Amino acid sequence: QVRLVESGGGLVQPGESLRLSCAASGTIFSINGMGWYRQAPGRERELVANMPSGGRAFYADSVKGRFTISRDNAANTVYLQMNMLKPDDTAVYYCIADVTPGWGLTAHDYWGQGTQVTVSS
């Protein structure tokens, strides 16, 4: 079994910054992609950013230039640095990881429990 634990959410004012962290643990042979989604009230869950193993990062247009995704592969951890936050960034942020549990086994997506980010003055 694989567990993803997120941290770093909170309440900030517009223009401020937050850094989210997500650590994967459990039965892990390798982690392929890792990324972040978010879901605001009344809206569908949307991709914010992802980073394939050894690949280029992808960002949603709404966060380009403000958010940066990074990974610490040795620690099975992904980060999301969020700068110049706006009220529209308010949402529950979810971590996702595409994990291969063992040699020759099928990879599966695993989700974190979510962390609330609220941007308000």
Side-chain angles (χ1 to χ4, degrees), residues 16 20 32-33 41 49 71 74 76 81 83 91 102 114 116 121:
E16 294 185 337
L20 305 182
N32 309 307
R71 289 175 62 168
N76 292 331
Q81 177 66 42
N83 298 329
Q116 177 70 47
S121 55

Side-chain angles (χ1 to χ4, degrees), residues 12-79:
V12 296
Q13 295 188 349
E16 294 185 337
S17 299
L18 278 176
R19 188 189 195 211
L20 305 182
S21 300
C22 172
S25 62
T27 306
I28 299 171
F29 175 73
S30 65
I31 300 180
N32 309 307
M34 297 188 83
W36 295 91
Y37 280 72
R38 68 185 180 186
Q39 187 166 20
R43 300 183 66 177
E44 293 187 355
R45 190 172 296 191
E46 63 174 356
L47 176 63
V48 176
N50 68 10
M51 179 174 280
S53 177
R56 290 180 59 183
F58 167 86
Y59 296 95
D61 286 344
S62 58
V63 307
K64 281 181 182 177
R66 300 188 298 121
F67 291 11
T68 303
I69 189 171
S70 60
R71 289 175 62 168
D72 180 344
N73 291 326
N76 292 331
T77 300
V78 63
Y79 304 95

Side-chain angles (χ1 to χ4, degrees), residues 5 8 26 58 80-81 83 94 96 107 111:
V5 178
F58 167 86
L80 187 67
Q81 177 66 42
N83 298 329
Y94 297 91
I96 183 172
W111 292 87

